Amino acid sequence: MENIVINQEFYEEYKDRVEELQGIFINIYSNYFYLIHIGEQRKTYKFSWPLYPAKNFLTSIIHALQKDFIILSCTLETKGESANSLHQLKGLLKKKFLLNFDSARKTLLKLPPDDNESPKRIARNKTIAHIDYGVNISSVNLCEVKERVDNLRDCFNSYLFGDMTKYKIDNAIIDKIDNTCKVGVDMLFNCSMKKLCQA
């Protein structure tokens, strides 16, 4: 395959967009793994009457993480010209960022279709845009949204060339995010944070 050449005139913009998108992915995965590990910890806790304020607080945290997870997932696919999304990144590879785009074209993954039946769109409609009467956030299958995010991550990785490949989100990064989130949730539920802050 012919060597792909980055247009140095737009190098900084390419880099800025890639860094921001990588940050969005990291936040999405963090929210997802926080939710997973909070759910695991929550199973072991029995909330009796005096603990209901704490349970309500935890429920608020969970709902905030769920909404943030979905909102950030949606931003990845925004089609607006002023957005920094995967659509824009892919389009700018051709328009500005790569000098020999045709050589790179065959390595670029196609974004999954975003129809009304996509898990991301259903989650967005149920939790943010329309808030269906009688439908709560727990009825949304966040695992399906996460599968879509995994596909988008593969697309993102395919849009990185030259030294931008250092921003790839590989399984090692995902595992690190997962482990960090688990440690954070364990510390919170085991009151380790309070002990460390008082030391």
Side-chain angles (χ1 to χ4, degrees):
M1 182 172 67
E2 187 182 339
N3 194 31
I4 310 299
V5 180
I6 297 174
N7 186 344
Q8 290 304 304
E9 182 181 352
F10 298 105
Y11 178 88
E12 286 303 320
E13 182 185 348
Y14 185 21
K15 180 174 174 281
D16 290 345
R17 285 180 176 272
V18 165
E19 283 180 335
E20 185 177 322
L21 284 166
Q22 185 201 45
I24 292 170
F25 273 106
I26 288 170
N27 285 328
I28 290 170
Y29 281 110
S30 294
N31 286 338
Y32 178 77
F33 289 118
Y34 278 133
L35 288 166
I36 294 296
H37 296 301
I38 287 171
E40 290 168 0
Q41 284 279 7
R42 200 175 180 192
K43 290 175 191 172
T44 64
Y45 277 77
K46 302 288 183 233
F47 287 96
S48 60
W49 170 245
L51 290 174
Y52 269 104
K55 183 179 181 182
N56 290 340
F57 176 58
L58 184 60
T59 300
S60 295
I61 291 172
I62 291 168
H63 285 185
L65 287 169
Q66 287 173 325
K67 285 190 176 183
D68 196 47
F69 172 74
I70 293 163
I71 289 170
L72 289 172
S73 300
C74 292
T75 64
L76 292 173
E77 299 184 68
T78 303
K79 292 183 180 174
E81 287 186 19
S82 61
N84 186 21
S85 65
L86 294 176
H87 284 283
Q88 293 306 317
L89 180 62
K90 187 176 183 182
L92 289 170
L93 287 173
K94 180 178 182 178
K95 291 179 188 171
K96 296 182 358 179
F97 298 155
L98 301 182
L99 292 176
N100 51 348
F101 176 78
D102 288 337
S103 299
R105 184 191 305 265
K106 53 185 163 277
T107 67
L108 303 178
L109 295 180
K110 188 175 178 183
L111 289 165
D114 183 24
D115 56 27
N116 287 330
E117 298 305 311
S118 76
K120 182 213 71 176
R121 183 78 67 90
I122 292 168
R124 176 187 167 275
N125 290 346
K126 285 184 177 178
T127 62
I128 298 159
H130 308 303
I131 309 203
D132 297 345
Y133 177 75
V135 175
N136 60 36
I137 294 174
S138 61
S139 68
V140 173
N141 188 339
L142 295 183
C143 292
E144 289 182 6
V145 180
K146 194 257 185 188
E147 285 176 17
R148 185 176 184 87
V149 171
D150 289 340
N151 289 334
L152 294 172
R153 175 186 64 140
D154 292 339
C155 291
F156 171 72
N157 288 340
S158 80
Y159 302 162
L160 305 177
F161 297 94
D163 64 347
M164 295 302 161
T165 57
K166 67 185 175 191
Y167 296 104
K168 279 191 176 182
I169 302 168
D170 58 18
N171 290 334
I173 291 174
I174 301 296
D175 291 343
K176 185 177 178 183
I177 295 168
D178 185 6
N179 290 333
T180 301
C181 292
K182 183 178 188 325
V183 168
V185 170
D186 287 347
M187 288 175 73
L188 183 65
F189 274 84
N190 295 325
C191 300
S192 300
M193 286 179 64
K194 184 175 181 181
K195 291 171 193 170
L196 286 169
C197 290
Q198 290 175 339

